[in-house]
Amino acid sequence: MSGTSAALKPPAGAVKPDRHPDAPAPGELLGSHYEHCFGCGGGQAHGLHLQARAGEGVSVTAEFTVKPAHQGAPGLAHGGVLATALDETLGSLNWLLRVIAVTGRLETDFVRPVPVGTVLHLDAEITAVHGRKIYSRATGRIGGPDGPVAVRAEALFIEVKVDHFIENGRPAEIQAAMADPDQSKRVRAFEVNP
């Protein structure tokens, strides 16, 4: 991206991170971190239903199909929906580090229109880590994984503790997630939040 802000440039001393030993294996479907997440959850009728897979190193790939409910201009994806797809994909990277992190900054370039019915092929990687700051970038292509670039983004994620969600989320949703009898779903809702 040209013109990347200073906030997205890793400082001196930032390092390329290693994949956590307990991270999902390359090719493994990451699944939804929370059923009601607009980006990846199955419980949102008009959500993106984005499906991400672990890649090599600290990278992921993902796909989502632009539906009529995602349009802005007639027949074209809304820019905010495309930014959401990039943010969700970038957030999925945190599974590879096994940290809880939230978006601190997201800069998006819209390169070409994305028509309704298009499958957006996304890939993302972590470029550096410095303390609690995680720097990453993503690209969205149309026409296949090697097709022309339609959107791209750079992001800064900030590592947080689970208390961030408990203290700031709506109590009803927090209590419902914590009361889920399926322990793996309960942990997953708070373990990594893209």
Side-chain angles (χ1 to χ4, degrees):
M1 288 177 58
S2 60
T4 299
S5 71
L8 293 177
K9 292 183 180 164
V15 297
K16 177 88 173 183
D18 291 323
R19 177 191 204 95
H20 191 280
D22 296 330
E28 186 175 330
L29 188 63
L30 299 180
S32 171
H33 73 94
Y34 177 55
E35 179 68 15
H36 298 289
C37 173
F38 181 79
C40 65
Q44 292 288 345
H46 297 299
L48 304 186
H49 304 144
L50 187 134
Q51 295 195 352
R53 289 188 182 279
E56 296 294 330
V58 284
S59 70
V60 298
T61 60
E63 291 182 359
F64 107 92
T65 301
V66 179
K67 304 263 174 36
H70 302 142
Q71 64 190 313
L76 297 174
H78 189 287
V81 169
L82 297 175
T84 300
L86 289 161
D87 184 48
E88 186 69 31
T89 304
L90 289 158
S92 296
L93 290 164
N94 298 315
W95 285 106
L96 305 178
L97 299 181
R98 303 298 292 168
V99 298
I100 303 170
V102 295
T103 310
R105 186 175 190 93
L106 176 70
E107 290 185 13
T108 306
D109 286 332
F110 301 94
V111 180
R112 66 181 67 230
V114 179
V116 169
T118 298
V119 175
L120 190 64
H121 299 269
L122 300 129
D123 61 82
E125 69 174 333
I126 296 174
T127 57
V129 172
H130 188 261
R132 294 177 43 227
K133 295 180 177 182
I134 303 165
Y135 298 85
S136 53
R137 64 179 166 225
T139 303
R141 298 174 182 272
I142 58 176
D146 297 319
V149 172
V151 292
R152 61 180 167 245
E154 290 191 36
L156 169 64
F157 279 76
I158 308 297
E159 186 175 346
V160 296
K161 302 288 183 206
V162 73
D163 292 348
H164 169 85
F165 304 102
I166 294 169
E167 293 168 4
N168 296 295
R170 286 195 331 177
E173 281 85 355
I174 297 296
Q175 290 168 1
M178 293 178 89
D180 193 313
D182 183 334
Q183 181 180 359
S184 65
K185 282 185 180 178
R186 191 169 56 241
V187 170
R188 197 167 168 104
F190 298 102
E191 189 176 56
V192 176
N193 186 64

